[in-house]
Structures are given as structure tokens and as C-alpha cells.
Amino acid sequence: MLEVNGIHTYYGTSHILFGISFEVKEGEAVCLLGRNGAGKTTAFRSIIGLTPPKSGSIKFKGNEIIGKPPYRIARMGIGYVPDTRRIFPDLTVRQNILVARREKETAAWNLERIYSLFPKLKDLDTHMGNQLSGGEQQMLTVARTLMTNPELLLLDEPGEGLAPLVIQSMKEQLGEIKKLGVTMLICEHNVGLATALSDRGYVIDKGTIRYHGTIVELQKNEEVRKKYLMV
Ligand SMILES: Nc1ncnc2c1ncn2[C@@H]1O[C@H](COP(=O)(O)OP(=O)(O)O)[C@@H](O)[C@H]1O
Ligand SMILES: [Mg+2]
């Protein structure tokens, strides 16, 4: 579904990603693990088109997407949940969700399905965005992104800053979304939420992929975890 091949990404003259490659197959959940500053968010920004790579290739369902504007990439079927959450503080929960609604009435996701997946959001229906806790905001961001009916969901540190109990329920809900057939790429700086959900993982350090393997292999590989991850 996603093939990232040898991308080099810069912020101005700062060279951040040094020819990284990874892939996500349909139905898989894959994680990109690495310490803070390793280049995870930059990899996601490269995919969604916010910081397009200067060279390399990114194919989504076989089509090259480097050079396309972010809104076109999103419409092709990639949903991006940024680490900043960016919900609308002065809209209600319902409005925050409906703002992402597409024209297609036949779309798989609608308010009813979202509320059955996230009953907590249903309870908060009329609450304003700025009244929500961090965990509720994170749920709302995922819910809003699902309304765009993504085939591939990019989740940037979905558990960051959340209490352990909230992370647990986030993990369960993301697991449900995966079961519904949504392919996922999740990044995280520690071995936690993302690894629990993923089938395979890549380890990134200083803009270079240092390791990839199944989650079971990664969990057994103490050397890689000690060297490149916060464990
Ligand atoms: N807007 C920016 N301008 C310049 N450098 C940036 C910018 N955003 C991130 N960086 C740098 O790029 C590197 C990778 O950052 P990032 O992709 O955010 O890492 P991660 O998400 O893995 O923590 C870091 O050295 C960071 O300082
Ligand atoms: Mg980041």
C-alpha cells in the first residue's frame, strides 16, 4: 500500500532524512520507532506532503505521491493524525468530527459509527474542544481523521502525554480500527502502544533506518533497543 524508497528530506538547508526506505502492506500495522529528533515526524510530513522529500520515491497504491499537495494526498486515502492534535478549540466535539465529513454519503465512516467506536466522545457531544482532556482530544483527532475514510492511517505518537489507563483504551480502540481493515503506520519514541499494535517495526536514528523486523524479533533484540530506543 505504501512504498517509501530512498527519500531525502530537508528543512531549508538542514538535511534530516538520509535515504530512508520502508513499506506498509495492506492490512498491516507497522511502527516507526526512534528517539526524539530521530526523524519520525519528518518521515510522516514527507508522506503527507507537508515537507516533500527532495529526492527518492513514495508510492501509495502504486502511484507516486511526492510533489502532490497535502490535500490531494489526503484525498487519495491517507489520514494523518499529527502529534499536535490540532482540534478546533471553539467547536463542539460533534462539530469537530463533522467538519471532516466528505460529500460521499456512502462513506464507511459517519457520526453514528464514530460514536459507537468512541462512546466517550458521544457523551461529550456538546462539549467544546478546549474543554477536553489530552486523551479525549487525541480520540477526537483520530475520530475526525476517520471521517475522511482513510485506507492508510498515519499516527504520530498517539500515546504521547497520556495517562497509562488512557493509553490502554487508545490501544483497544486503535486495535478495533485495525480489525476494520484500516492499514496503519504508527510512530513512537518508546516501545509501548505502537509495538503492541504492530506486526512489524522499523527503527530510525539520525534520519537513517537502522533495523527492521517483526515486533517479536525487535522485542528480543536488546542491543537494538538499548542503542536506538528509550528503554
Ligand atoms: N521545522 C523544522 N526546521 C528545522 N529543523 C527541524 C524542524 N522540525 C524538526 N527539525 C529537526 O529535524 C530532526 C528530526 O525531527 P523530527 O522529525 O521532529 O523527529 P522525531 O519526530 O523523531 O522526534 C530534529 O533534529 C529536529 O530538530
Ligand atoms: Mg515527532
Side-chain angles (χ1 to χ4, degrees), residues 2-3 25 47 77 87 98 101 116 126 167 197 210 219:
L2 182 77
E3 299 166 88
K25 299 190 184 86
I47 296 167
I87 57 157
L98 291 182
R101 186 171 47 183
S116 77
T126 57
I167 292 179
L197 284 163
R210 302 289 182 183
Q219 273 163 344

Side-chain angles (χ1 to χ4, degrees), residues 154-202:
L154 309 180
L155 296 149
D156 193 341
E157 309 245 7
E160 181 65 5
L162 306 182
L165 264 178
V166 183
I167 292 179
Q168 184 58 32
S169 72
M170 180 67 62
K171 191 164 88 187
E172 284 161 19
Q173 276 147 343
L174 293 176
E176 286 301 310
I177 296 167
K178 187 188 174 205
K179 273 193 213 143
L180 292 166
V182 179
T183 305
M184 293 182 182
L185 177 63
I186 312 165
C187 77
E188 209 170 39
H189 67 262
N190 52 11
V191 178
L193 176 65
T195 35
L197 284 163
S198 298
D199 306 298
R200 292 188 302 115
Y202 292 81

Side-chain angles (χ1 to χ4, degrees), residues 52-82:
K54 279 203 179 143
S55 61
S57 156
I58 302 179
K59 285 188 177 160
F60 178 59
K61 296 196 290 178
N63 301 305
E64 182 60 53
I65 56 173
I66 293 181
K68 291 188 195 302
Y71 75 89
R72 293 255 331 262
I73 296 172
R75 281 191 192 166
M76 287 173 82
I78 302 183
Y80 173 48
V81 177

Side-chain angles (χ1 to χ4, degrees), residues 36-37 39-42 83 156-157 187:
N36 286 330
K40 304 179 298 295
T41 296
T42 307
D83 53 349
D156 193 341
E157 309 245 7
C187 77

